[in-house]
Amino acid sequence: ASVKPAVVYDIGGKFDKSFNEGVFHGAEKFKSDTGIDFRDFEVTNDAQREQALRKFARDGFNPIVAVGFGQAQPLEKVAAEFPNTHFTIIDSVVDKPNVQSITFREEQGSFLVGLLASKASKDGKVGFVGGMDIPLIRKFGCGYVQGAKYANPKADVYQNMTGTTGAAWRDPVKGGELARSQIDRGAEVIYAAAGATGLGVLRAAADGGKLGIGVDSNQDGLFPGKILTSMLKHVDVATYKTFMDAKDGTWKPGSQVLGLKEDGVGYSYDDYNKALITPEMKAAADAAAKDIIDGKIQVHDYMSDSKCPE
Amino acid sequence: MPVAAAIELEGIDKSFGAVHANRNVTLSVAAGSIHGIVGENGAGKSTLMSILYGFYEADAGEIRVGGTPVKIGSSRQAIAHGIGMVHQHFMLVDTLSVLDNVMLGAEGGALVARGAAAIRVKLAELGRAYGLVVDPDALVGDLGVGLQQRVEILKALVRGATILILDEPTAVLTPPEADQLFGMLDTLRREGKTVIFITHKLREIMHITDRVSVMRRGEIVLTTETAATSPAQLADAMVGRRVLLTVAKGPATPGPVRLEARGLTVLGSNGVALVDDVSFTLRAGEITGLAGVAGNGQSELLEALAGIRPIAAGEILIDGKVVPATSHNPKAIRTLGLAHVPEDRHRMGLIMPFEAAESAILGIHTDPAFGRGPWLSRKSIIADLARKMAGYDIRPPNPRLKTANFSGGNQQKIVLAREMERDPGIVLAGQPTRGVDIGAIEFIHSRLVALRDAGKAVLVVSVELDEIMALADQILVMCGGRLTGARTPPPDAANDERFVGDLGLLMAGVTEQAA
Amino acid sequence: MSAPITLPRWADLVLVPVLSVLTAFVVGGLVVAAIGVSPWDATRTLITGSLGSGEALGFTLYYTTDFIFTGLAVALAFQAGLFNIGGEGQATLGGLGAALVCLHGGFLPGWLLIPLGIVAAAVFGGIWGLVPGYLQAKRGSHIVITTIMFNWLASTLMGYLLVNGMRAPQSMEPETVPFPPQAAIPTVHGILEALGIPSATTPLNLSFLLALACAFAMWLFIWRTRTGYEIRTTGANPTAAVYGGIAPAWIIMLTMGLSGALASGVAVNEIMGVQNRLLLEFTAGYGFVGIAVALMGRAHPVGIVFASLLFGILYQGGAELAFDQPKISRDMIVAIQGFVVLFAGALDGLYRPHLARIFTALPRTRSGPI
Amino acid sequence: MLTGLASDTALILASSLRLAVPLIFACIAGLWSERSGVVDIGLEGKMLVAAFASAVVAYQVDSAWAGLAAGILASVALGLVHGFAVIDQRGNQIVSGAAINLVAAGLTALLGNAWYGEGGRTPQLDSVASRFHEIPWPGEASLGAIPVLGPFYSNLLAGHVVLTYLAILLVPLTSFVLYRTRFGLRLRATGENPAAVDTAGISVRGLRYAGVVICGVLCGFAGTYLSVAQAASFLPSMTAGKGFIALAALVFSKWRPWPALFTCLLFGFLDAISIRLQGAVIPGVGEVPVQAIQALPYLLTVILLAGFVGRAIPPKASGIPYVKER
Ligand SMILES: Nc1ncnc2c1ncn2[C@@H]1O[C@H](COP(=O)(O)OP(=O)(O)OP(=O)(O)O)[C@@H](O)[C@H]1O
Ligand SMILES: Nc1ncnc2c1ncn2[C@@H]1O[C@H](COP(=O)(O)OP(=O)(O)OP(=O)(O)O)[C@@H](O)[C@H]1O
Ligand SMILES: [Mg+2]
Ligand SMILES: [Mg+2]
């Protein structure tokens, strides 16, 4: 089938060093593998989401990837208008016959990096710096805390959110200060789930002789030897697969929840951090991953009840 | 010419847009002399001096200093040619000390400290030589106007001025202060310095100057040895026709008290009493004149009576009833029948960017005559001003012209028409003829007298003693915020030397007890 | 010499702003060229993308609606001599007001719920404007600084409420549940379709008419009522206002309250007209655009409607441009806005002397020397 | 215990200082401009442009100092636009400042995106030469061990980037130039009564341009600090309102250098404390919401402006174009 893929990013923008960027990388990979070009658009206000989706659909683009939970409402409308166009929404669920919904179990990946952080620290003092204070980010934090406590029940997790507006994704200075304050209190490993703000967090950790943990894509190479690992959220894979499936005619609507089992989330282990993750740590993480997949460990999802078990 | 000319102006011309402020002015000032310049408001005196001082640039003409043609493009060049100027509106920085003000532009080095020491010495010398003593460390904003003027003169002298221009220096001085100034000018003249002295007061011209020039409508219409002229001749030259210095009015028939002030006190922002325990009454059918040198609390008193300034102590009674604190605001006081012609029409009385018709309803804009309920009917406000324009001969008679585009005199008439046509019981008129030509002055004076004769209580505040004496049935004098005296003028008061002298003492704060 | 520059009224109201805006566009064009995009292509995309089709026009007018509201808000404050930079925050609070009514008033019929929502938006936005007004009038705080602080406070407050209290349960997004359907302000395409006229789906809704009505109402209020007169007097000459028995403190608070209410029209358009739920940052910087709009429109409602249309074209056309040209990002529009404010606002004296010279020369050449 | 407290205090103060540095530069920048009579709400925009230019040049040339120079140049250029608009063209100063903020926000993001294709972000400054680094002081570790005083030495005094020390030095320097030199005297007078300066034979225009240029230079430092010292790249709208906070600080300090320093440190402290306070549990109230903490500086600004500084009287002539002939 001839595919004409398109992507509509969320307000954070294509280069948010986070999931929008992951989608972009997946689409780029598809382009370089197949030679099929794609179109994309960054929305700047709420009304443009619907506008962009409709415009792409009308211009015959198919499939169209909508990034971010903010697109759910507009997609619901536009998907109904264009029943023959295939849509994939990431991070939210839209129940329509021509929509594929992909969500991730970020709490599971965060659990694993929490476990690693706890193990990498001497006395279980670790930190978490979130971007904007929204449920999704609390979900990351909650999984992280559970992992850290799983590895060391006495673990101490410092949690900070950078802000309450969109600017919180783009404030590395504040991120850096938050990280420093956690370091001052004794944190040895800091997990940044904060878009570009995370760069400041990781840098502060590196400068302070501590370890950072990246998010979404593999950020281990940013400060080699100073980043313990990255919590991987394979939006790139999901995007690539959507485009590929569409190309091969195997694209299917419906809802997918990608967790550890589906290899939707995970942690990075490569040349950059081999020296930081001892075999013992790796074994513990892999064992926990297996237990999660087998259901022996239940990682609580903050989104399910807006609460995080203490 | 027997004496060398310190300054020669030839063919100076200057326009501000439509206003032709100086027309082909030629003037020669002899070195070592005091040269007076007189002329009506707006005649172009200040403009001419500002050109000489490099503050404005002339459109045409030549300036010669000591015989050599010079180009004075900035005040810096004027200073370099030995010219110093004391402006009509002081050019001082209130938040700086006297020393800093004097130093400004003559610091004597990149660092202030070194120059400051030198200037301190100089100030002390000048203080001794001319009796110009000022505390160099006082903040200029804290000084009275008299002392501020001293600072201005010191600024010029410190810069080594040999030619000193004084623009209406005596307007802000009490008679004794003025005498002291004249003493100083005399000293300067004896030292061979040249003084150009601008004033409205013909007495002063006759007293101190060697020569005098009269300006009218931007031109010099007369230059003569002072000894060879008379006040009457100068006045005629200023106005261009014979001047009636008196107002035609019959005897007053005072009625009941309309307004009474009891122990009024008004504080300035720094807590100083600007009006200090002032009590008086205004009667129906009588014009009360409030005399005093500008800046002695008259303005504040007027604004307090009109409800604009809060009163710190005392009370105001209108028709025998105390005005409660809740009614002490312009709106409520207006409804009690008080009209107020403010001293400064630009700042307070009018709204320059508005159409004249809109300026002409300020303060009465809530009047039901101008529209139903919340609405303002343009038709009726335009018709209203059109009617008043006819009655007050306001030109051009176009209510829709922008207020700013009327001449000063006509702007003043708009204010007067607005305030007087409301048929108020009490009229407060602050400087009603300031900046207004002689024809309009006569008109305004006759209006005020007509109001009196119609049984209104009228208070006229003026810094022009002649105006007070021409109009008032009762004269109050203020100095330093206090009422220093109340007088009933004798017949032909203006020519009564003793009476004028008495008022002068009161204006200087010399009260009966002390006298 | 620096004569008082008097231009014919039409030149002052039309020619000078048009020249200023043209200059801004020329400078914008230079920037576009500098980053390697043909200004001509960009202009073509801008125009066809904003006016070339029913859909484009719908979006353009939808943006125009927001800008009319915020432009009027800034202009009203201008009339009283106040600089209200707080449109963002006021609109945000307006959204809160509208949402509270819409979420809790589901039992009401639409004809009652919609007006109530609008009133609530106006009241909430008005209060958020009135408080800085009060602080300026009574405490002497600088209104520019306070309104900026209030923008931040509003977005923080909204963040808190949407994450903690008002968020739809089970929802990822900091936003409320959708409003009941009858709370939605009818859309233009919905109406057209109901009339059997096929039309593109756009967010344009009847708030547009409300915006136009507000423009007319503001004109009536400012130039035809006693209170409007008091506001203008306070702005033009505060001392004269006091003399005239006008209490500036009251006028400042009133004006800021009304200004905030006008700004919350953005909430009516966005929250009740388009999104039908309350969400974060729906104001999207429209409050700041209002400053540019008000300056360009000379603080006059008619001017503001036209300036809003221009900015609507810029926004919609600019989005198309960003669609078409990867090198041009959404920020281009912000920069052009800045140029417009600079040339139409701060540098509007640039052409005046030259124009005045031309105008004074014209009749002379026509009538010949006298 | 005591040592722990001292160490905590020192750390919070050090954090306050770091956060205050851009405010100090910007606030003193505003002071110079407004003391000369030119109101500048465009501090924000100038900082942003400086942050952008310095990050770009520091990256391209691989030199932090070249970045600083570029930041200063860019900021001064924008300042001159403001100067031209308000000094020569007598435009409205608030409006011109607002325009500058918009132009800066738009152009930096636009150019950043056009050049590097990362949504306006500039590349990370990874090399040592391209960033300002914290300068180690002798014996930081050993002296830091001294109880109570140690932490203050090693955390608060030592180990800041060079710009931080410059920011602190700037205050006495400003104070000296403003109050002790001819230039300062004239500049202050210009802000209060330009006519007095003019009649004293001094160019008002020259002094106001001087004020505007100094303001530009200092905003250049502020912006460079943000992108080249504090962060390691430029990000769109990374100033995040610091220019306005600096303006508020200027009002509090009543346009005086030393109080300006203390006000900026206070704001920095509020910010630092809000970072530390996050997640803290207050007895009886429970965990303080992030939002409440974050609103604190804004709320305090409003409250301080409304209550505690009283009426701050700006330089009398600031905001008013100097027009000789009405
Ligand atoms: N800067 C200016 N711009 C425009 N017009 C001006 C300016 N200065 C003075 N004028 C006008 O020029 C004319 C002459 O003014 P000038 O101040 O020289 O008068 P004057 O003789 O000093 O009057 P007064 O006795 O009131 O001081 C007046 O009509 C005045 O309005
Ligand atoms: N800025 C202006 N724009 C347009 N017309 C003006 C302006 N200023 C003054 N005029 C007009 O020019 C004429 C002369 O003004 P000017 O101020 O010189 O009057 P004047 O001779 O001083 O009168 P008055 O004695 O009443 O003050 C007036 O008729 C006035 O309407
Ligand atoms: Mg004069
Ligand atoms: Mg006149």
Side-chain angles (χ1 to χ4, degrees):
Chain A
S2 80
V3 286
K4 237 177 118 183
V7 179
V8 180
Y9 301 104
D10 206 357
I11 288 184
K14 179 151 72 169
F15 297 102
D16 64 347
K17 285 274 176 220
S18 184
F19 68 132
N20 281 307
E21 196 160 336
V23 172
F24 174 65
H25 289 314
E28 283 280 305
K29 179 164 158 45
F30 173 77
K31 179 173 152 187
S32 69
D33 285 0
T34 62
I36 300 174
D37 203 357
F38 65 97
R39 278 283 295 277
D40 57 0
F41 183 70
E42 298 172 83
V43 302
T44 57
N45 60 54
D46 294 302
Q48 281 181 354
R49 293 172 170 150
E50 188 177 324
Q51 185 185 11
L53 289 172
R54 185 173 293 116
K55 189 172 162 86
F56 277 139
R58 196 175 38 216
D59 291 354
F61 285 91
N62 193 358
I64 298 167
V65 172
V67 187
F69 44 75
Q71 314 255 28
Q73 273 227 344
L75 181 58
E76 203 143 337
K77 272 196 216 162
V78 176
E81 290 170 32
F82 297 92
N84 297 325
T85 304
H86 296 161
F87 296 92
T88 295
I89 182 163
I90 290 175
D91 266 6
S92 190
V93 179
V94 170
D95 192 14
K96 281 269 171 342
N98 56 336
V99 177
Q100 183 186 61
S101 308
I102 301 178
T103 52
F104 294 85
R105 292 195 169 278
E106 293 92 349
E107 73 277 12
Q108 295 184 346
S110 298
F111 183 96
L112 294 186
V113 298
L115 178 147
L116 288 171
S118 194
K119 292 228 175 263
S121 69
K122 276 197 285 298
D123 48 6
K125 290 198 172 152
V126 297
F128 170 80
V129 175
M132 187 173 167
D133 186 12
I134 52 168
L136 178 67
I137 295 302
R138 292 192 181 181
K139 179 180 183 180
F140 280 75
C142 185
Y144 181 71
V145 173
Q146 292 175 64
K149 301 234 160 156
Y150 176 81
N152 175 0
K154 289 208 289 284
D156 221 350
V157 186
Y158 307 116
Q159 289 194 68
N160 286 122
M161 294 292 179
T162 308
T164 53
T165 60
W169 303 117
R170 303 182 297 270
D171 197 346
V173 169
K174 188 101 185 260
E177 278 301 322
L178 285 166
R180 288 181 81 133
S181 97
Q182 295 185 348
I183 292 169
D184 292 345
R185 280 181 283 171
E188 291 170 80
V189 186
I190 300 175
Y191 175 28
T197 300
L199 292 176
V201 176
L202 298 178
R203 182 174 295 278
D207 287 352
K210 309 292 175 193
L211 292 172
I213 296 178
V215 79
D216 289 343
S217 43
N218 187 338
Q219 299 182 316
D220 297 354
L222 279 178
F223 301 99
K226 305 286 171 98
I227 296 191
L228 177 65
T229 181
S230 297
M231 197 291 274
L232 302 175
K233 175 173 168 182
H234 291 298
V235 273
D236 48 346
V237 179
T239 307
Y240 182 80
K241 187 159 175 304
T242 297
F243 286 178
M244 269 306 187
D245 287 352
K247 176 172 164 288
D248 302 339
T250 56
W251 184 93
K252 274 197 210 59
S255 176
Q256 302 178 23
V257 185
L258 305 183
L260 282 172
K261 185 153 84 189
E262 299 79 12
D263 198 24
V265 296
Y267 71 94
S268 61
Y269 182 75
D270 53 27
D271 285 346
Y272 291 118
N273 62 356
K274 249 186 205 139
L276 300 172
I277 298 184
T278 62
E280 184 265 328
M281 283 161 68
K282 180 154 179 12
D286 291 344
K290 186 164 179 305
D291 286 351
I292 292 172
I293 291 170
D294 296 345
K296 280 191 217 142
I297 298 176
Q298 289 286 336
V299 183
H300 177 79
D301 178 4
Y302 175 86
M303 304 292 300
S304 63
D305 59 356
S306 298
K307 282 197 188 70
C308 193
E310 275 307 313
Chain B
M1 215 182 263
V3 200
I7 294 279
E8 287 159 289
L9 302 175
E10 201 167 307
I12 300 289
D13 221 272
K14 173 76 182 172
S15 295
F16 296 106
V19 183
H20 205 160
N22 284 157
R23 298 164 205 258
N24 192 21
V25 172
T26 297
L27 176 69
S28 167
V29 179
S33 74
I34 299 181
H35 193 116
I37 297 180
V38 287
E40 281 189 283
N41 296 124
K45 309 177 293 288
S46 299
T47 304
L48 185 66
M49 292 304 116
S50 293
I51 289 170
L52 180 53
Y53 189 61
F55 196 56
Y56 294 155
E57 209 167 334
D59 301 339
E62 189 182 67
I63 301 174
R64 287 192 291 274
V65 177
T68 5
V70 293
K71 200 189 156 307
I72 302 183
S74 72
S75 302
R76 171 168 294 268
Q77 285 162 335
I79 294 167
H81 290 299
I83 301 172
M85 178 159 177
V86 176
H87 290 263
Q88 186 173 1
H89 309 283
F90 295 156
M91 299 290 183
L92 296 170
V93 184
D94 285 353
T95 50
L96 296 183
S97 69
V98 169
L99 188 68
D100 285 345
N101 268 285
V102 173
M103 280 180 74
L104 192 63
E107 296 87 348
L111 295 186
V112 169
R114 200 165 326 134
I119 300 247
R120 259 177 214 282
V121 174
K122 243 185 187 167
L123 280 179
E125 273 169 22
L126 289 170
R128 273 195 304 277
Y130 301 102
L132 289 169
V133 184
V134 195
D135 171 12
D137 296 309
L139 274 193
V140 161
D142 294 342
L143 300 179
V145 269
L147 284 179
Q148 291 194 351
Q149 187 177 69
R150 268 189 201 180
V151 178
E152 281 283 34
I153 296 172
L154 285 169
K155 264 169 72 175
L157 294 181
V158 161
R159 285 164 172 72
T162 55
I163 301 157
L164 189 64
I165 304 164
L166 297 158
D167 193 352
E168 295 195 33
T170 52
V172 295
L173 300 182
T174 59
E177 282 176 324
D179 283 339
Q180 206 187 354
L181 175 73
F182 294 149
M184 191 209 76
L185 294 183
D186 212 32
T187 317
L188 285 173
R189 171 165 52 187
R190 262 185 280 118
E191 289 178 354
K193 298 200 163 128
T194 310
V195 176
I196 300 176
F197 177 72
I198 297 173
T199 183
H200 286 289
K201 301 176 188 170
L202 300 179
R203 243 188 309 273
E204 293 172 352
I205 291 286
M206 303 310 292
H207 177 65
I208 186 77
T209 65
D210 301 310
R211 284 168 69 80
V212 58
S213 298
V214 180
M215 287 190 80
R216 184 171 74 231
R217 302 228 163 249
E219 288 173 298
I220 293 216
V221 292
L222 174 75
T223 298
T224 170
E225 300 289 331
T226 309
T229 186
S230 68
Q233 191 199 354
L234 293 177
D236 293 350
M238 274 163 68
V239 182
R241 61 179 166 84
R242 283 220 67 85
V243 188
L244 293 172
L245 286 169
T246 50
V247 182
K249 61 167 190 176
T253 48
V257 171
R258 300 300 303 266
L259 182 142
E260 181 175 358
R262 284 190 192 152
L264 274 192
T265 301
V266 176
L267 300 183
S269 56
N270 51 1
V272 173
L274 299 173
V275 175
D276 194 356
D277 191 20
V278 166
S279 306
F280 61 90
T281 56
L282 301 183
R283 291 169 173 279
E286 191 174 70
I287 296 180
T288 306
L290 181 59
V293 179
N296 273 284
Q298 307 96 304
S299 313
E300 290 77 11
L301 175 62
L302 199 62
E303 289 181 14
L305 291 176
I308 295 171
R309 264 179 197 267
I311 49 182
E315 54 192 14
I316 300 168
L317 290 81
I318 290 181
D319 293 328
K321 282 193 285 291
V322 176
V323 176
T326 48
S327 295
H328 188 250
N329 62 61
K331 193 172 177 174
I333 286 202
R334 231 178 229 112
T335 58
L336 294 174
L338 186 136
H340 174 201
V341 178
E343 289 188 325
D344 186 338
R345 55 180 171 264
H346 284 225
R347 207 172 64 85
M348 198 174 263
L350 296 164
I351 312 136
M352 289 298 148
F354 283 13
E355 289 179 1
E358 292 200 306
S359 275
I361 57 163
L362 179 62
I364 49 172
H365 56 278
T366 47
D367 192 318
F370 298 126
R372 244 177 302 135
W375 304 104
L376 207 53
S377 154
R378 278 184 58 75
K379 227 199 268 160
S380 55
I381 67 173
I382 288 172
D384 179 69
L385 181 59
R387 193 176 50 73
K388 287 174 181 164
M389 282 179 147
Y392 281 75
D393 187 28
I394 297 170
R395 279 180 271 185
N398 175 3
R400 305 192 47 183
L401 196 66
K402 217 166 83 167
T403 310
N405 290 352
F406 285 85
S407 76
N410 285 304
Q411 289 171 352
Q412 185 70 353
K413 285 187 186 173
I414 293 175
V415 177
L416 284 166
R418 179 183 73 207
E419 296 302 314
M420 295 181 178
E421 290 303 290
R422 289 171 42 223
D423 193 27
I426 305 158
V427 177
L428 309 179
Q431 316 276 7
T433 58
R434 185 196 291 190
V436 161
D437 72 38
I438 200 88
I441 290 176
E442 285 175 342
F443 175 83
I444 292 168
H445 282 175
S446 67
R447 275 280 156 174
L448 289 169
V449 171
L451 283 172
R452 177 197 77 164
D453 293 343
K456 319 291 183 196
V458 180
L459 176 70
V460 175
V461 177
S462 177
V463 293
E464 307 291 338
L465 255 190
D466 294 339
E467 175 164 54
I468 295 276
M469 283 187 290
L471 282 174
D473 306 310
Q474 275 296 323
I475 298 178
L476 306 172
V477 186
M478 269 186 97
C479 177
R482 300 181 137 269
L483 268 191
T484 49
R487 295 285 185 274
T488 308
D492 195 20
N495 295 324
D496 186 331
E497 294 265 335
R498 267 198 51 194
F499 182 69
V500 173
D502 181 29
L503 286 185
L505 285 177
L506 290 176
M507 286 165 70
V510 184
T511 50
E512 287 103 319
Q513 291 91 335
Chain C
M1 290 274 63
S2 64
I5 297 166
T6 37
L7 289 176
R9 209 173 134 77
W10 71 270
D12 208 38
L13 288 178
V14 180
L15 193 58
V16 171
V18 165
L19 280 177
S20 304
V21 171
L22 281 181
T23 316
F25 273 79
V26 169
V27 175
L30 291 178
V31 174
V32 167
I35 59 178
V37 175
S38 150
W40 306 119
D41 291 352
T43 311
R44 195 172 332 108
T45 312
L46 201 75
I47 301 295
T48 53
S50 57
L51 302 171
S53 67
E55 181 182 1
L57 190 64
F59 269 90
T60 300
L61 291 181
Y62 147 75
Y63 289 119
T64 304
T65 308
D66 284 331
F67 300 150
I68 292 177
F69 282 123
T70 54
L72 291 177
V74 175
L76 185 70
F78 265 169
Q79 293 290 349
L82 301 165
F83 199 58
N84 177 14
I85 316 197
E88 288 286 296
Q90 290 144 17
T92 302
L93 263 280
L96 181 61
L100 286 177
V101 166
C102 293
L103 288 171
H104 294 105
F107 56 91
L108 293 170
W111 60 265
L112 193 57
L113 187 54
I114 291 176
L116 272 182
I118 294 174
V119 169
V123 168
F124 273 61
I127 290 174
W128 211 248
L130 190 134
V131 176
Y134 167 83
L135 291 173
Q136 155 109 19
K138 299 283 189 185
R139 316 283 324 182
S141 327
H142 200 305
I143 202 144
V144 170
I145 295 180
T146 9
T147 47
I148 289 170
M149 298 296 147
F150 266 61
N151 286 340
W152 280 321
L153 289 176
S155 74
T156 311
L157 176 68
M158 195 59 124
Y160 177 74
L161 290 177
L162 283 180
V163 171
N164 295 294
M166 300 178 73
R167 176 160 57 93
Q170 310 301 319
S171 161
M172 283 261 193
E173 205 179 0
E175 60 183 40
T176 63
V177 294
F179 299 157
Q182 76 270 26
I185 295 178
T187 59
V188 169
H189 82 90
I191 293 171
L192 289 178
E193 238 132 66
L195 296 174
I197 307 165
S199 79
T201 315
T202 71
L204 181 64
N205 61 77
L206 293 189
S207 307
F208 181 60
L209 298 184
L210 179 67
L212 291 180
C214 282
F216 180 67
M218 169 169 154
W219 177 81
L220 266 187
F221 176 64
I222 285 291
W223 277 279
R224 289 292 181 270
T225 69
R226 300 180 201 264
T227 314
Y229 173 83
E230 296 192 340
I231 290 175
R232 283 185 296 130
T233 302
T234 308
N237 186 344
T239 324
V242 172
Y243 161 81
I246 301 163
W250 152 246
I251 291 295
I252 288 172
M253 289 194 281
L254 174 77
T255 310
M256 282 303 292
L258 291 175
S259 177
L262 280 173
S264 59
V266 170
V268 173
N269 186 33
E270 295 287 334
I271 293 298
M272 297 178 62
V274 182
Q275 301 293 342
N276 298 312
R277 68 208 147 108
L278 182 61
L279 64 175
L280 275 181
E281 292 176 17
F282 66 85
T283 52
Y286 301 142
F288 294 118
V289 183
I291 299 168
V293 168
L295 284 173
M296 259 193 64
R298 307 259 135 175
H300 191 286
V302 174
I304 286 170
V305 169
F306 282 106
S308 300
L309 185 62
L310 176 82
F311 274 92
I313 290 171
L314 263 179
Y315 259 64
Q316 168 54 19
E320 294 292 320
L321 197 57
F323 232 100
D324 266 17
Q325 303 278 357
K327 275 195 172 167
I328 294 185
S329 63
R330 51 202 181 183
D331 309 293
M332 185 68 221
I333 304 308
V334 179
I336 290 187
Q337 245 180 72
F339 292 135
V340 169
V341 177
L342 186 66
F343 288 105
L347 283 171
D348 70 338
L350 214 49
Y351 295 113
R352 252 158 228 279
H354 306 289
L355 286 178
R357 214 168 298 142
I358 293 168
F359 277 108
T360 43
L362 279 182
R364 209 174 289 154
T365 48
R366 218 178 289 144
S367 56
I370 306 161
Chain D
M1 175 61 200
L2 192 60
T3 307
L5 191 66
S7 154
D8 275 357
T9 315
L11 288 169
I12 291 187
L13 291 181
S15 171
S16 315
L17 181 57
R18 285 194 299 272
L19 291 165
V21 168
L23 297 181
I24 297 171
F25 278 122
C27 184
I28 300 284
L31 188 149
W32 279 104
S33 181
E34 301 207 353
R35 278 292 186 132
S36 79
V38 178
V39 169
D40 194 353
I41 68 163
L43 296 177
E44 178 90 359
K46 285 201 282 271
M47 280 165 82
L48 200 59
V49 161
F52 177 72
S54 61
V56 167
V57 171
Y59 174 76
Q60 299 292 359
V61 181
D62 195 28
S63 156
W65 290 102
L68 177 64
I72 290 174
L73 278 181
S75 163
V76 167
L78 212 54
L80 288 176
V81 172
H82 186 55
F84 175 71
V86 307
I87 300 172
D88 289 332
Q89 295 293 318
R90 296 167 195 164
N92 183 312
Q93 305 186 354
I94 301 265
V95 171
S96 170
I100 292 213
N101 287 338
L102 284 170
V103 168
L107 274 192
T108 49
L110 184 71
L111 293 179
N113 188 55
W115 292 343
Y116 300 107
E118 287 200 45
R121 193 163 50 220
T122 62
Q124 290 284 312
L125 301 173
D126 284 323
S127 83
V128 174
S130 65
R131 265 186 89 199
F132 288 105
H133 291 273
E134 306 188 340
I135 307 166
W137 277 27
E140 245 180 78
S142 50
L143 289 177
I146 299 172
V148 184
L149 289 182
F152 284 97
Y153 174 78
S154 61
N155 290 317
L156 188 53
L157 279 183
H160 292 286
V161 300
V162 62
L163 296 183
T164 304
Y165 299 113
L166 285 182
I168 304 292
L169 282 181
L170 177 64
V171 176
L173 182 70
T174 295
S175 180
F176 177 79
V177 175
L178 202 58
Y179 295 114
R180 298 262 179 271
T181 69
R182 171 172 63 191
F183 172 69
L185 174 66
R186 292 178 171 189
L187 189 105
R188 278 183 292 143
T190 310
E192 294 286 343
N193 186 356
V197 174
D198 196 354
T199 51
I202 309 162
S203 160
V204 171
R205 180 170 175 270
L207 281 164
R208 289 205 160 164
Y209 264 108
V212 164
V213 168
I214 296 175
C215 172
V217 170
L218 296 180
C219 283
F221 276 93
T224 305
Y225 178 84
L226 285 177
S227 64
V228 180
Q230 219 174 6
S233 72
F234 170 84
L235 282 154
S237 65
M238 76 185 301
T239 42
K242 291 190 176 61
F244 292 105
I245 299 272
L247 270 187
L250 187 59
V251 177
F252 285 152
S253 58
K254 305 193 176 168
W255 294 265
R256 290 167 303 170
W258 285 105
L261 172 68
F262 296 122
T263 314
C264 291
L265 287 174
L266 172 71
F267 280 128
F269 179 71
L270 281 177
D271 218 4
I273 270 286
S274 82
I275 285 170
R276 302 276 156 160
L277 227 60
Q278 245 194 58
V281 177
I282 293 184
V285 182
E287 191 172 312
V288 189
V290 192
Q291 287 85 357
I293 301 280
Q294 258 151 9
L296 206 66
Y298 308 133
L299 211 56
L300 241 104
T301 304
V302 171
I303 292 169
L304 285 178
L305 275 182
F308 292 91
V309 281
R311 257 169 221 263
I313 298 161
K316 226 183 258 153
S318 67
I320 308 162
Y322 178 54
V323 186
K324 239 191 212 183
E325 304 172 6
R326 278 175 289 145

